[in-house]
Amino acid sequence: MSKEAAAGPDGVPRCPWALSTPDYVTYHDEEWGRPVHGDDALFERLSLEAFQSGLSWITILRRRPGFRAAFAGFKIAEVAKFTDTDRERLLADTGIIRNRAKIDATLANARELATWAPGDLDTLIWSHAPDPDGRPVPKTIADVPAVTPESTILSKALKKQGLRFVGPTTAYALMQACGLVNDHLETCGARNAPSGARGPVH
């Protein structure tokens, strides 16, 4: 894999990780790095990043429709009501990743978040967005970190509030995916698009 932005089939330069499959191209161009707001939307991203731990993101991305069906569209209020019967259903669902610890963490997180006031998750996560002017623009994928001081602090804040499977690496992947940071490479065509032309995702 190239370490620098490379041209895709349409000639547009993209981050090199985005060029391996059409699924990645679409995700890179339309979602990754765009601001995401809303408690349910952020709960979905947080849950999927936790499921991704130890796996490739493409594995999660291709199963996302299955995850959404299995977890009631990641509506916190609905998932918080899941019973032991639902848990057993999830453990048998081939449309998702059947990891017991990750399923249990997702259910526990929903129950915890259901006790928060509306907007609290959004506020907590976005309060840890670093100043973009203080971050160097990555030129190659070698310049993109897996964890940062900010993601470590975010991880600690989420854990302090009772959330699980939210380590610093997972927290940074969330920050990248949800637009708290812009890790598109300097010459990537999407570098200036996430918070500008396309607007936030809800």
Side-chain angles (χ1 to χ4, degrees), residues 49-80:
E49 294 295 350
F51 272 101
Q52 186 270 333
S53 180
L55 302 171
S56 65
W57 178 244
I58 195 65
T59 300
I60 304 301
L61 192 59
R62 288 174 173 167
R63 285 175 169 78
R64 185 160 58 169
F67 274 107
R68 286 175 168 171
F71 284 98
F74 287 98
K75 294 179 176 62
I76 293 169
E78 296 299 318
V79 180

mmCIF file of all heavy atoms in Angstrom, residues 49-80:
data_model
loop_
_atom_site.group_PDB
_atom_site.id
_atom_site.type_symbol
_atom_site.label_atom_id
_atom_site.label_comp_id
_atom_site.label_asym_id
_atom_site.label_seq_id
_atom_site.Cartn_x
_atom_site.Cartn_y
_atom_site.Cartn_z
ATOM 1 N N GLU A 49 -17.001 0.798 16.472
ATOM 2 C CA GLU A 49 -15.544 0.880 16.666
ATOM 3 C C GLU A 49 -15.092 -0.147 17.707
ATOM 4 O O GLU A 49 -14.009 -0.736 17.582
ATOM 5 C CB GLU A 49 -15.133 2.288 17.092
ATOM 6 C CG GLU A 49 -15.342 3.369 16.041
ATOM 7 C CD GLU A 49 -14.475 3.211 14.808
ATOM 8 O OE1 GLU A 49 -13.562 2.365 14.808
ATOM 9 O OE2 GLU A 49 -14.711 3.939 13.818
ATOM 10 N N ALA A 50 -15.911 -0.384 18.719
ATOM 11 C CA ALA A 50 -15.573 -1.399 19.718
ATOM 12 C C ALA A 50 -15.599 -2.795 19.097
ATOM 13 O O ALA A 50 -14.712 -3.614 19.349
ATOM 14 C CB ALA A 50 -16.547 -1.327 20.891
ATOM 15 N N PHE A 51 -16.597 -3.064 18.265
ATOM 16 C CA PHE A 51 -16.654 -4.362 17.594
ATOM 17 C C PHE A 51 -15.477 -4.546 16.646
ATOM 18 O O PHE A 51 -15.027 -5.664 16.400
ATOM 19 C CB PHE A 51 -17.974 -4.512 16.830
ATOM 20 C CG PHE A 51 -19.096 -5.071 17.655
ATOM 21 C CD1 PHE A 51 -20.070 -4.236 18.185
ATOM 22 C CD2 PHE A 51 -19.183 -6.426 17.922
ATOM 23 C CE1 PHE A 51 -21.112 -4.743 18.959
ATOM 24 C CE2 PHE A 51 -20.210 -6.948 18.685
ATOM 25 C CZ PHE A 51 -21.178 -6.102 19.209
ATOM 26 N N GLN A 52 -14.968 -3.433 16.093
ATOM 27 C CA GLN A 52 -13.855 -3.518 15.150
ATOM 28 C C GLN A 52 -12.556 -3.920 15.823
ATOM 29 O O GLN A 52 -11.651 -4.437 15.163
ATOM 30 C CB GLN A 52 -13.674 -2.161 14.462
ATOM 31 C CG GLN A 52 -12.650 -2.147 13.348
ATOM 32 C CD GLN A 52 -11.250 -1.795 13.824
ATOM 33 O OE1 GLN A 52 -11.093 -1.107 14.827
ATOM 34 N NE2 GLN A 52 -10.233 -2.272 13.126
ATOM 35 N N SER A 53 -12.437 -3.697 17.125
ATOM 36 C CA SER A 53 -11.193 -3.970 17.840
ATOM 37 C C SER A 53 -10.673 -5.375 17.528
ATOM 38 O O SER A 53 -11.350 -6.374 17.738
ATOM 39 C CB SER A 53 -11.423 -3.839 19.347
ATOM 40 O OG SER A 53 -10.240 -4.108 20.063
ATOM 41 N N GLY A 54 -9.459 -5.439 16.972
ATOM 42 C CA GLY A 54 -8.852 -6.714 16.612
ATOM 43 C C GLY A 54 -9.238 -7.221 15.237
ATOM 44 O O GLY A 54 -8.750 -8.267 14.805
ATOM 45 N N LEU A 55 -10.089 -6.489 14.534
ATOM 46 C CA LEU A 55 -10.551 -6.896 13.205
ATOM 47 C C LEU A 55 -10.299 -5.759 12.220
ATOM 48 O O LEU A 55 -9.925 -4.659 12.597
ATOM 49 C CB LEU A 55 -12.052 -7.212 13.238
ATOM 50 C CG LEU A 55 -12.505 -8.299 14.209
ATOM 51 C CD1 LEU A 55 -14.028 -8.327 14.289
ATOM 52 C CD2 LEU A 55 -11.978 -9.664 13.786
ATOM 53 N N SER A 56 -10.516 -6.037 10.940
ATOM 54 C CA SER A 56 -10.402 -4.979 9.936
ATOM 55 C C SER A 56 -11.724 -4.217 9.882
ATOM 56 O O SER A 56 -12.795 -4.796 10.098
ATOM 57 C CB SER A 56 -10.082 -5.568 8.560
ATOM 58 O OG SER A 56 -11.158 -6.357 8.097
ATOM 59 N N TRP A 57 -11.649 -2.921 9.572
ATOM 60 C CA TRP A 57 -12.860 -2.120 9.520
ATOM 61 C C TRP A 57 -13.798 -2.586 8.407
ATOM 62 O O TRP A 57 -15.019 -2.502 8.548
ATOM 63 C CB TRP A 57 -12.510 -0.644 9.338
ATOM 64 C CG TRP A 57 -13.717 0.235 9.232
ATOM 65 C CD1 TRP A 57 -14.107 0.977 8.172
ATOM 66 C CD2 TRP A 57 -14.712 0.451 10.251
ATOM 67 N NE1 TRP A 57 -15.285 1.637 8.444
ATOM 68 C CE2 TRP A 57 -15.671 1.325 9.713
ATOM 69 C CE3 TRP A 57 -14.886 -0.034 11.551
ATOM 70 C CZ2 TRP A 57 -16.796 1.747 10.438
ATOM 71 C CZ3 TRP A 57 -16.001 0.391 12.277
ATOM 72 C CH2 TRP A 57 -16.934 1.262 11.716
ATOM 73 N N ILE A 58 -13.251 -3.110 7.321
ATOM 74 C CA ILE A 58 -14.108 -3.572 6.227
ATOM 75 C C ILE A 58 -15.040 -4.682 6.696
ATOM 76 O O ILE A 58 -16.184 -4.797 6.232
ATOM 77 C CB ILE A 58 -13.266 -4.032 5.003
ATOM 78 C CG1 ILE A 58 -14.138 -4.150 3.744
ATOM 79 C CG2 ILE A 58 -12.558 -5.337 5.282
ATOM 80 C CD1 ILE A 58 -14.716 -2.841 3.271
ATOM 81 N N THR A 59 -14.577 -5.496 7.645
ATOM 82 C CA THR A 59 -15.418 -6.560 8.199
ATOM 83 C C THR A 59 -16.647 -5.966 8.873
ATOM 84 O O THR A 59 -17.769 -6.471 8.721
ATOM 85 C CB THR A 59 -14.621 -7.396 9.218
ATOM 86 O OG1 THR A 59 -13.497 -7.985 8.556
ATOM 87 C CG2 THR A 59 -15.468 -8.491 9.830
ATOM 88 N N ILE A 60 -16.454 -4.876 9.601
ATOM 89 C CA ILE A 60 -17.563 -4.217 10.284
ATOM 90 C C ILE A 60 -18.436 -3.469 9.287
ATOM 91 O O ILE A 60 -19.669 -3.529 9.345
ATOM 92 C CB ILE A 60 -17.023 -3.243 11.347
ATOM 93 C CG1 ILE A 60 -16.111 -3.973 12.338
ATOM 94 C CG2 ILE A 60 -18.172 -2.548 12.069
ATOM 95 C CD1 ILE A 60 -16.762 -5.115 13.078
ATOM 96 N N LEU A 61 -17.797 -2.780 8.368
ATOM 97 C CA LEU A 61 -18.530 -1.965 7.404
ATOM 98 C C LEU A 61 -19.507 -2.810 6.594
ATOM 99 O O LEU A 61 -20.660 -2.410 6.384
ATOM 100 C CB LEU A 61 -17.531 -1.267 6.476
ATOM 101 C CG LEU A 61 -18.061 -0.158 5.570
ATOM 102 C CD1 LEU A 61 -18.675 0.959 6.390
ATOM 103 C CD2 LEU A 61 -16.936 0.369 4.692
ATOM 104 N N ARG A 62 -19.066 -3.974 6.169
ATOM 105 C CA ARG A 62 -19.931 -4.834 5.360
ATOM 106 C C ARG A 62 -21.039 -5.493 6.176
ATOM 107 O O ARG A 62 -22.039 -5.931 5.609
ATOM 108 C CB ARG A 62 -19.077 -5.894 4.659
ATOM 109 C CG ARG A 62 -18.235 -5.297 3.540
ATOM 110 C CD ARG A 62 -17.285 -6.286 2.925
ATOM 111 N NE ARG A 62 -16.626 -5.706 1.753
ATOM 112 C CZ ARG A 62 -15.562 -6.240 1.152
ATOM 113 N NH1 ARG A 62 -15.032 -7.370 1.623
ATOM 114 N NH2 ARG A 62 -15.031 -5.644 0.100
ATOM 115 N N ARG A 63 -20.867 -5.523 7.483
ATOM 116 C CA ARG A 63 -21.906 -6.072 8.344
ATOM 117 C C ARG A 63 -22.773 -5.003 8.992
ATOM 118 O O ARG A 63 -23.660 -5.306 9.788
ATOM 119 C CB ARG A 63 -21.266 -6.938 9.454
ATOM 120 C CG ARG A 63 -20.773 -8.299 8.985
ATOM 121 C CD ARG A 63 -20.055 -9.031 10.117
ATOM 122 N NE ARG A 63 -19.788 -10.423 9.807
ATOM 123 C CZ ARG A 63 -18.812 -10.859 9.033
ATOM 124 N NH1 ARG A 63 -17.992 -9.994 8.448
ATOM 125 N NH2 ARG A 63 -18.648 -12.153 8.817
ATOM 126 N N ARG A 64 -22.531 -3.759 8.666
ATOM 127 C CA ARG A 64 -23.267 -2.688 9.329
ATOM 128 C C ARG A 64 -24.781 -2.821 9.181
ATOM 129 O O ARG A 64 -25.507 -2.598 10.161
ATOM 130 C CB ARG A 64 -22.786 -1.318 8.853
ATOM 131 C CG ARG A 64 -23.456 -0.180 9.622
ATOM 132 C CD ARG A 64 -22.685 1.121 9.549
ATOM 133 N NE ARG A 64 -22.501 1.568 8.177
ATOM 134 C CZ ARG A 64 -22.039 2.774 7.856
ATOM 135 N NH1 ARG A 64 -21.681 3.621 8.813
ATOM 136 N NH2 ARG A 64 -21.891 3.117 6.596
ATOM 137 N N PRO A 65 -25.315 -3.177 8.015
ATOM 138 C CA PRO A 65 -26.765 -3.375 7.941
ATOM 139 C C PRO A 65 -27.253 -4.446 8.928
ATOM 140 O O PRO A 65 -28.312 -4.284 9.546
ATOM 141 C CB PRO A 65 -26.988 -3.807 6.487
ATOM 142 C CG PRO A 65 -25.847 -3.209 5.736
ATOM 143 C CD PRO A 65 -24.680 -3.317 6.668
ATOM 144 N N GLY A 66 -26.461 -5.514 9.091
ATOM 145 C CA GLY A 66 -26.813 -6.547 10.049
ATOM 146 C C GLY A 66 -26.761 -6.046 11.477
ATOM 147 O O GLY A 66 -27.633 -6.369 12.302
ATOM 148 N N PHE A 67 -25.746 -5.248 11.777
ATOM 149 C CA PHE A 67 -25.645 -4.649 13.116
ATOM 150 C C PHE A 67 -26.847 -3.751 13.397
ATOM 151 O O PHE A 67 -27.429 -3.793 14.486
ATOM 152 C CB PHE A 67 -24.354 -3.834 13.240
ATOM 153 C CG PHE A 67 -23.148 -4.625 13.650
ATOM 154 C CD1 PHE A 67 -22.154 -4.920 12.727
ATOM 155 C CD2 PHE A 67 -22.998 -5.062 14.952
ATOM 156 C CE1 PHE A 67 -21.020 -5.636 13.103
ATOM 157 C CE2 PHE A 67 -21.874 -5.782 15.341
ATOM 158 C CZ PHE A 67 -20.879 -6.067 14.415
ATOM 159 N N ARG A 68 -27.196 -2.938 12.423
ATOM 160 C CA ARG A 68 -28.311 -2.012 12.635
ATOM 161 C C ARG A 68 -29.617 -2.758 12.838
ATOM 162 O O ARG A 68 -30.435 -2.374 13.690
ATOM 163 C CB ARG A 68 -28.419 -1.065 11.438
ATOM 164 C CG ARG A 68 -27.322 -0.003 11.430
ATOM 165 C CD ARG A 68 -27.352 0.848 10.182
ATOM 166 N NE ARG A 68 -26.481 2.020 10.311
ATOM 167 C CZ ARG A 68 -26.185 2.836 9.314
ATOM 168 N NH1 ARG A 68 -26.685 2.614 8.095
ATOM 169 N NH2 ARG A 68 -25.386 3.890 9.523
ATOM 170 N N ALA A 69 -29.804 -3.831 12.107
ATOM 171 C CA ALA A 69 -31.017 -4.633 12.287
ATOM 172 C C ALA A 69 -31.019 -5.320 13.649
ATOM 173 O O ALA A 69 -32.046 -5.380 14.338
ATOM 174 C CB ALA A 69 -31.125 -5.671 11.167
ATOM 175 N N ALA A 70 -29.872 -5.834 14.053
ATOM 176 C CA ALA A 70 -29.780 -6.581 15.304
ATOM 177 C C ALA A 70 -29.912 -5.688 16.529
ATOM 178 O O ALA A 70 -30.460 -6.114 17.563
ATOM 179 C CB ALA A 70 -28.452 -7.338 15.356
ATOM 180 N N PHE A 71 -29.413 -4.445 16.417
ATOM 181 C CA PHE A 71 -29.393 -3.540 17.567
ATOM 182 C C PHE A 71 -30.404 -2.399 17.429
ATOM 183 O O PHE A 71 -30.160 -1.285 17.914
ATOM 184 C CB PHE A 71 -27.980 -2.969 17.760
ATOM 185 C CG PHE A 71 -27.010 -3.946 18.374
ATOM 186 C CD1 PHE A 71 -26.144 -4.672 17.563
ATOM 187 C CD2 PHE A 71 -26.960 -4.152 19.742
ATOM 188 C CE1 PHE A 71 -25.236 -5.577 18.111
ATOM 189 C CE2 PHE A 71 -26.062 -5.046 20.308
ATOM 190 C CZ PHE A 71 -25.201 -5.766 19.493
ATOM 191 N N ALA A 72 -31.548 -2.674 16.821
ATOM 192 C CA ALA A 72 -32.660 -1.713 16.772
ATOM 193 C C ALA A 72 -32.225 -0.344 16.273
ATOM 194 O O ALA A 72 -32.626 0.693 16.813
ATOM 195 C CB ALA A 72 -33.306 -1.586 18.160
ATOM 196 N N GLY A 73 -31.388 -0.347 15.232
ATOM 197 C CA GLY A 73 -30.922 0.912 14.674
ATOM 198 C C GLY A 73 -30.037 1.711 15.609
ATOM 199 O O GLY A 73 -29.819 2.902 15.405
ATOM 200 N N PHE A 74 -29.519 1.047 16.641
ATOM 201 C CA PHE A 74 -28.674 1.678 17.659
ATOM 202 C C PHE A 74 -29.390 2.831 18.366
ATOM 203 O O PHE A 74 -28.757 3.797 18.785
ATOM 204 C CB PHE A 74 -27.342 2.141 17.077
ATOM 205 C CG PHE A 74 -26.414 0.993 16.771
ATOM 206 C CD1 PHE A 74 -26.314 0.488 15.476
ATOM 207 C CD2 PHE A 74 -25.668 0.396 17.770
ATOM 208 C CE1 PHE A 74 -25.474 -0.583 15.190
ATOM 209 C CE2 PHE A 74 -24.820 -0.675 17.498
ATOM 210 C CZ PHE A 74 -24.729 -1.165 16.205
ATOM 211 N N LYS A 75 -30.699 2.704 18.513
ATOM 212 C CA LYS A 75 -31.445 3.659 19.324
ATOM 213 C C LYS A 75 -31.197 3.295 20.793
ATOM 214 O O LYS A 75 -31.563 2.205 21.243
ATOM 215 C CB LYS A 75 -32.928 3.618 18.987
ATOM 216 C CG LYS A 75 -33.246 4.094 17.580
ATOM 217 C CD LYS A 75 -34.737 4.016 17.294
ATOM 218 C CE LYS A 75 -35.070 4.576 15.924
ATOM 219 N NZ LYS A 75 -34.423 3.826 14.833
ATOM 220 N N ILE A 76 -30.574 4.193 21.510
ATOM 221 C CA ILE A 76 -30.161 3.903 22.880
ATOM 222 C C ILE A 76 -31.334 3.432 23.733
ATOM 223 O O ILE A 76 -31.231 2.428 24.460
ATOM 224 C CB ILE A 76 -29.512 5.150 23.513
ATOM 225 C CG1 ILE A 76 -28.184 5.460 22.814
ATOM 226 C CG2 ILE A 76 -29.291 4.948 25.012
ATOM 227 C CD1 ILE A 76 -27.598 6.804 23.183
ATOM 228 N N ALA A 77 -32.459 4.111 23.646
ATOM 229 C CA ALA A 77 -33.617 3.764 24.469
ATOM 230 C C ALA A 77 -34.117 2.352 24.192
ATOM 231 O O ALA A 77 -34.592 1.661 25.106
ATOM 232 C CB ALA A 77 -34.733 4.775 24.251
ATOM 233 N N GLU A 78 -34.007 1.922 22.944
ATOM 234 C CA GLU A 78 -34.468 0.578 22.583
ATOM 235 C C GLU A 78 -33.481 -0.492 23.029
ATOM 236 O O GLU A 78 -33.860 -1.523 23.598
ATOM 237 C CB GLU A 78 -34.699 0.486 21.073
ATOM 238 C CG GLU A 78 -35.815 1.386 20.560
ATOM 239 C CD GLU A 78 -37.155 1.034 21.185
ATOM 240 O OE1 GLU A 78 -37.449 -0.158 21.314
ATOM 241 O OE2 GLU A 78 -37.888 1.976 21.561
ATOM 242 N N VAL A 79 -32.185 -0.267 22.762
ATOM 243 C CA VAL A 79 -31.173 -1.257 23.123
ATOM 244 C C VAL A 79 -31.102 -1.421 24.640
ATOM 245 O O VAL A 79 -30.849 -2.516 25.147
ATOM 246 C CB VAL A 79 -29.801 -0.875 22.543
ATOM 247 C CG1 VAL A 79 -28.740 -1.909 22.916
ATOM 248 C CG2 VAL A 79 -29.883 -0.737 21.021
ATOM 249 N N ALA A 80 -31.357 -0.354 25.365
ATOM 250 C CA ALA A 80 -31.326 -0.414 26.827
ATOM 251 C C ALA A 80 -32.384 -1.363 27.380
ATOM 252 O O ALA A 80 -32.249 -1.861 28.508
ATOM 253 C CB ALA A 80 -31.523 0.975 27.413
#
